[in-house]
Amino acid sequence: MPGVSLRRALALALALACHRGTALGPPYSQLPASSSPTATFQLRDGRQMPMFGLGVYVSKPGAETYDAVKWALELGYRMVDTAMIYGNERSVGEAVRDSGIPREELWVSTKLWDADHGFEQAIAACEKSLQELGVSYIDLYLIHSPNTGKLVETWDALLELRRRGLVKSIGVSNYDVKHIKALSDHGRELPVVNQIEMHPLVYQERRPVLEYCLENNILVQAYGSIFFGQTQWLEDPAVTSVTAAHPSKTPAQVLLRWGLQMGFHLIPKSTKRHRLEENMGIFDFELSAQELGTLSSMKGALGAYWNPLETPVDLGKTSADEL
């Protein structure tokens, strides 16, 4: 089914932004002219990343993750996001290889865990992830959080991994403005992606980091887009009122469409084939500026995720002589 043009969605999001003073967004990225699971965001390094993907957080290694990735790829997904700490990289890699889809048509992302910060440790951890995934390169490699510090030193390792051709694009996750500025303040290039918890409940409090990412052409990749499946919030009047205006759509689809029109990269998780297909059904309708505003005004907490954005900055070694 052809996607709804995002040019109109852009205009709607800009209409919402006009009520927010001098803020740059929403939307918080340059939206493609049209949308579909295989449409792409252009990253600040020039590479094109599919605008919609599958997340496998808390998907059990083995059949559960393998089947989810296999089904997603059959349905038309072309991007998968995993992490070393999830313990399911091997299952992701097996499904990717068994799909029969040429490797260059797929986007595989994984993350460096907190215990592996530091230059040599990060190099070794990436090599282990490559082995687990069974691939020769990783499309997007993220630092999972700033929790264990050594931010510049660890970032230098990712730059080296890219130089060696082991990773194509590099980014961060759960970084606040101060963590990203630690890189630029020490002369390092900026990440292409910042993956953070992002949904209507935390939107208002996280607008500073969203504005910073937009200003610096860093794509915000959202997790928690459908409220971790929590019924309390899926049945909130703000969500149900917007969903009622789109009778063929579910609360999950409305929330994902909110994220899409706000300019976020989406990686919703499911291990059920019908939910994977449902999550893709967000490209044939659009939310009005009023509906975007209704959802954006929600406040609350899921209690399902951490918040490393509050972590103090620790640089680690910042010069080649120290490494």
Side-chain angles (χ1 to χ4, degrees), residues 3-7 31-36 39-40 51 283:
V4 169
S5 171
L6 280 185
R7 292 192 188 279
L31 294 168
S34 61
S35 60
S36 71
T40 59
M51 69 184 303
F283 299 102

Side-chain angles (χ1 to χ4, degrees), residues 8 39 49 58 73 113 121 157 186 218-219 238 251 293-294 296 315 319:
R8 177 171 167 77
M49 180 168 72
V58 300
L73 296 178
W113 181 235
Q121 298 95 317
H186 287 80
I218 299 168
L219 181 63
T294 296
S296 296
L315 302 176
S319 71

Side-chain angles (χ1 to χ4, degrees), residues 194-233:
N194 185 18
Q195 183 186 119
I196 59 174
E197 180 184 356
M198 181 46 53
H199 47 74
L201 297 178
V202 297
Y203 167 63
Q204 295 294 341
E205 68 184 68
R206 294 195 170 183
R207 288 189 68 211
V209 68
L210 297 178
E211 294 287 334
Y212 179 85
C213 287
L214 174 58
E215 186 176 5
N216 289 279
N217 194 24
I218 299 168
L219 181 63
V220 172
Q221 191 174 60
Y223 67 80
S225 298
I226 51 179
F227 297 157
F228 203 63
Q230 294 182 6
T231 303
Q232 170 193 357
W233 294 110

Side-chain angles (χ1 to χ4, degrees), residues 15 31 39 45 50 83 89 102 105 116 132 153 157 168 184 214 306:
L31 294 168
D45 63 2
E89 288 177 317
E105 295 180 14
D116 295 311
E132 287 292 302
E153 179 181 347
K168 300 292 187 179
S184 60
L214 174 58
W306 56 353

